[in-house]
């Protein structure tokens, strides 16, 4: 017995030793993170490696005996780091550029240390109440009314999934017990993100019941076609239940006419969800508030602080004016999760598919407090301004064509010539590893995108990217002329 307690004691001693080790290593790691965030432009944006190369270098079995932090870190620097695509690089301008800001990283570190699981208020009062508070702050900043209830999910895809589930519940409360009813029909634009269709697949709506409404010349949903599609479907015995409008579409960042769409949803009693995953952040700027005009009449809205709001991935802010329906959709409380708290206690597990929840609110709290509304506004305004400057430069170069308006900080353009030529341009520019751009297809043509959204990006970075595009275009055009 005595020996047994000695062993327990020595176990505690070894914990203490390991905490000293942790402290020493953590200081090193923090130093590395600070250097990385300060100098991320020194890395190539894209790694130089072939698929499978990292896997081939790593052991195919986990170690039987623990290894020291020093060995793990050495392999991080030697093997993992060279295989990283640096989303924190100021010339990462693919998809939507993002920022893992220092305050956000601190919030992540503390959340990891607390390891609180916010399934119930009781399991994480701080996580639950901070989530309500920071989502309230953000709601005020983007101008949504007070009756919008907020919840954090991991991604916009998952937020939109929850919106469609709640829309289905509103249209047909029997679905919860009896399974999906056929013919429920959802409307979104042909420029909407694929997550809308994926949500419909996952919820048993079916891809055939997702009507993709055509867009106008500016890539905005055509509301005349939307309304006739709804009428036509009703005559065919279908059951329209949801419209997903986008504020900031993925390809061109176009903005659907939300107020007119809200009128339509009200006329037909449909759920209106707004996907403002990227551009919702711009509504913080008073001069951009208009992009969410009509959103106060939506049933739900998603915006992603992990896109343009300096918050490390992942953190998606979902708002709904009908938390009662969202709760009716997802609440299912087994005995072991029953609690006796006062009504004011929110149990976020009741509002979504997941039970366990990370303490994500902490990093958003750090970000919003550290930068403040003014600090964030300055960064967003610079991004928008540099995108406008790039658009003007493209317009002034007869070899290039700009193919979409630039409402925010994404510019879509192509080099005059074939799709093949444009693919080569993209490949060659990215092969320098000095920049990462991505592409899309618009009106059947291959188009390049420059997405400005990293907080470390400067006007000079944008100029360098434009110089690189021009010199590469020169080379490709003169090679094809030979
Ligand atoms: N909605 C829009 C408009 C997007 O552009 C994106 C991604 O770029 C998404 C949804 C999906 O975002 P997430 O990766 O958070 O699921």
């Amino acid at each position: 017995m005595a020996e047994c307690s000695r062993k327990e004691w020595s176990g505690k001693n070894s914990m203490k030793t390991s905490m000293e080790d942790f402290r020493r290593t953590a200081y090193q790691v923090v130093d590395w993170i600070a250097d990385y965030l300060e100098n991320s432009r020194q890395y190539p944006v894209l790694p130089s490696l072939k698929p499978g190369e990292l896997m081939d270098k790593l052991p195919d079995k986990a170690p039987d005996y623990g290894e020291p932090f020093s060995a793990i870190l050495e392999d991080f620097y030697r093997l993992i780091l060279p295989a990283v695509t640096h989303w924190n690089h100021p010339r990462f301008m693919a998809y939507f550029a993002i920022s893992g800001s220092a305050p956000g990283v601190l919030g992540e570190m503390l959340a990891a240390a607390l390891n609180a699981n916010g399934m119930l208020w009781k399991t994480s009062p701080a996580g639950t109440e901070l989530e309500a508070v920071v989502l309230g702050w953000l709601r005020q900043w983007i101008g949504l009314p007070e009756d919008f209830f907020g919840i954090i999910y991991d991604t916009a895809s998952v937020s939109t999934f929850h919106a469609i589930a709640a829309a289905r519940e509103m249209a047909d409360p029997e679905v919860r017990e009896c399974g999906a009813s056929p013919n429920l029909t959802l409307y979104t634009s042909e420029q909407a993100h694929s997550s809308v269709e994926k949500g419909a697949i996952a919820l048993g709506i079916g891809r055939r019941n997702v009507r993709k409404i055509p867009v106008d010349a500016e890539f905005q949903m055509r509301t005349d076609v939307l309304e006739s599609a709804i009428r036509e479907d009703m005559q065919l015995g279908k059951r329209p239940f949801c419209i997903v409008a986008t504020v900031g579409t993925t390809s061109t960042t176009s903005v659907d006419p939300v107020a007119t769409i809200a009128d339509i949803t009200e006329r037909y009693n449909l759920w209106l969800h707004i996907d403002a995953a990227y551009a919702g952040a711009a509504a913080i700027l008073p001069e951009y508030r208009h992009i969410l005009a009509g959103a106060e009449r939506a049933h739900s809205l998603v915006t992603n602080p992990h896109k343009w709001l300096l918050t490390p991935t992942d953190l998606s802010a979902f708002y709904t004016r009908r938390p009662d329906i969202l709760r009716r959709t997802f609440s299912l409380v087994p005995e072991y999760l029953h609690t006796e708290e006062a009504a004011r206690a929110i149990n976020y597990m009741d509002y979504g598919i997941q039970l366990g929840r990370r303490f994500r609110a902490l990093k958003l709290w750090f970000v919003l407090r550290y930068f403040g509304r003014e600090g964030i506004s300055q960064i967003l305004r610079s991004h928008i301004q540099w995108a406008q400057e790039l658009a003007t430069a493209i317009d002034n170069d007869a070899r290039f064509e700009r193919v979409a308006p630039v409402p925010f900080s994404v510019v879509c353009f192509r080099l005059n010539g074939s799709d093949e030529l444009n693919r080569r341009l993209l490949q060659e520019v990215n092969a320098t590893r000095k920049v990462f751009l991505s592409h899309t297809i618009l009106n059947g043509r291959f188009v390049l995108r420059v997405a400005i959204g990293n907080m470390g990006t400067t006007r000079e970075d944008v100029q360098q990217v434009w110089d690189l595009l021009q010199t590469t275009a020169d080379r490709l055009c003169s090679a094809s002329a030979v």
Side-chain angles (χ1 to χ4, degrees):
M1 192 63 201
E3 203 179 53
C4 177
S5 37
R6 253 202 313 278
K7 264 193 190 141
E8 275 177 22
W9 182 244
S10 84
K12 286 206 176 106
N13 267 343
S14 73
M15 262 306 274
K16 197 164 163 223
T17 314
S18 123
M19 275 307 109
E20 278 160 15
D21 203 9
F22 169 77
R23 193 185 303 276
R24 204 176 33 249
T25 312
Y27 284 138
Q28 284 172 24
V29 168
V30 167
D31 278 341
W32 183 87
I33 294 174
D35 289 343
Y36 174 70
L37 293 180
E38 198 170 23
N39 304 310
S40 50
R41 67 172 65 249
Q42 288 176 2
Y43 292 83
V45 191
L46 287 159
S48 161
L49 98 161
K50 296 189 184 61
E53 207 175 307
L54 175 60
M55 284 195 285
D56 291 345
K57 287 181 185 160
L58 296 171
D60 56 9
K61 288 193 192 69
D64 287 331
Y65 299 98
E67 299 178 59
F69 283 137
S70 56
I72 305 170
L73 268 183
E74 196 187 308
D75 283 349
F76 171 77
Y77 299 127
R78 190 172 61 88
L79 298 172
I80 307 296
L81 204 50
V84 167
T85 294
H86 290 282
W87 286 72
N88 264 331
H89 195 294
R91 286 190 304 278
F92 182 112
M93 297 182 184
Y95 315 114
F96 284 117
I98 58 176
S99 310
S101 66
V105 171
L106 287 182
E108 275 285 28
M109 285 162 67
L110 292 173
L114 293 173
N115 203 25
N117 184 335
M119 51 197 193
L120 300 164
W121 176 87
K122 186 172 157 182
T123 64
S124 181
T128 303
E129 298 196 9
L130 194 64
E131 184 159 332
V133 169
V134 287
L135 288 191
W137 290 359
L138 182 60
R139 178 186 54 67
Q140 290 165 17
W141 279 12
I142 63 175
L144 283 181
E146 232 176 87
D147 60 345
F148 274 78
F149 163 93
I151 177 167
I152 295 174
Y153 298 121
D154 54 1
T155 57
S157 304
V158 168
S159 291
T160 293
F161 165 89
H162 284 85
I164 300 172
R168 192 182 65 171
E169 170 71 20
M170 182 171 89
D172 188 352
E174 294 217 331
V175 165
R176 193 181 145 107
E177 298 305 318
C178 308
S181 58
N183 290 331
L184 285 174
T185 307
L186 179 148
Y187 303 80
T188 196
S189 102
E190 58 188 15
Q191 289 291 316
H193 190 260
S194 52
S195 54
V196 178
E197 213 170 336
K198 275 200 187 180
I201 294 169
L203 288 158
I205 305 299
R207 288 183 79 188
R208 278 195 214 147
N209 293 320
V210 176
R211 293 281 299 258
K212 292 193 188 157
I213 305 299
V215 292
D216 62 16
E218 302 206 328
F219 304 99
Q220 302 169 331
M221 195 197 292
R222 282 193 45 198
T223 47
D224 54 336
V225 182
L226 170 68
E227 186 151 21
S228 10
I230 292 171
R231 286 222 194 99
E232 204 175 280
D233 284 345
M234 285 165 70
Q235 273 167 9
L236 292 171
K238 291 192 173 277
R239 301 175 60 197
F241 78 107
C242 180
I243 302 178
V244 180
T246 312
V247 171
T249 56
T250 312
S251 286
T252 69
T253 72
S254 59
V255 176
D256 287 336
V258 173
T260 315
I261 295 172
D263 292 340
I264 297 174
T265 45
E266 281 165 8
R267 258 198 299 285
Y268 298 93
N269 194 25
L270 314 178
W271 184 286
L272 173 57
H273 174 60
I274 297 177
D275 178 356
Y278 153 73
I284 292 175
L285 308 174
E287 65 274 27
Y288 275 83
R289 195 46 90 68
H290 61 88
I291 61 172
L292 291 184
E296 68 286 352
R297 291 191 281 148
H299 295 75
S300 58
L301 176 144
V302 57
T303 189
N304 272 359
H306 76 214
K307 279 195 162 51
W308 206 9
L309 260 191
L310 320 182
T311 306
T313 191
D314 46 17
L315 196 156
S316 181
F318 179 80
Y319 292 97
T320 179
R321 220 164 25 92
R322 297 303 307 267
D324 54 322
I325 297 181
L326 184 64
R327 193 168 195 278
R328 218 165 67 200
T329 314
F330 287 107
S331 181
L332 189 66
V333 187
E335 182 49 40
Y336 46 85
L337 292 172
H338 267 292
T339 54
E340 302 292 333
E341 264 72 49
R344 201 167 167 206
I346 303 169
N347 293 322
Y348 277 117
M349 71 162 197
D350 288 338
Y351 298 88
I353 190 78
Q354 65 186 106
L355 170 62
R357 316 178 71 249
R358 299 180 57 220
F359 193 171
R360 291 193 177 90
L362 200 54
K363 60 184 169 185
L364 185 56
W365 187 58
F366 266 70
V367 167
L368 299 188
R369 289 190 62 181
Y370 184 82
F371 293 103
R373 187 183 176 133
E374 277 309 314
I376 290 174
S377 300
Q378 264 179 29
I379 293 170
L380 300 187
R381 283 197 184 104
S382 313
H383 292 167
I384 293 170
Q385 189 185 327
W386 300 332
Q388 307 306 319
E389 289 170 5
L390 176 63
T392 307
I394 291 170
D395 291 346
N396 290 337
D397 187 328
R399 291 168 305 171
F400 288 87
E401 176 195 358
R402 188 159 57 79
V403 296
V406 181
F408 306 103
S409 66
V410 174
V411 188
C412 293
F413 61 97
R414 69 197 306 279
L415 184 59
N416 295 327
S418 65
D419 278 3
E420 186 45 37
L421 182 68
N422 279 279
R423 277 180 211 279
R424 292 262 320 269
L425 176 61
L426 181 65
Q427 258 167 22
E428 299 217 358
V429 163
N430 284 345
T432 64
R433 300 162 69 208
K434 291 182 180 154
V435 58
F436 183 20
L437 305 183
S438 59
H439 76 278
T440 189
I441 299 280
L442 292 175
N443 296 322
R445 297 189 305 167
F446 187 91
V447 166
L448 280 76
R449 284 169 84 260
V450 169
I452 303 169
N454 178 270
M455 58 182 292
T457 302
T458 60
R459 179 181 267 129
E460 289 67 42
D461 286 309
V462 181
Q463 183 62 51
Q464 273 180 38
V465 171
W466 177 226
D467 290 345
L468 184 60
L469 281 161
Q470 286 179 302
T471 50
T472 314
D474 280 344
R475 193 158 36 72
L476 289 177
C477 292
S478 51
S480 65
V482 176

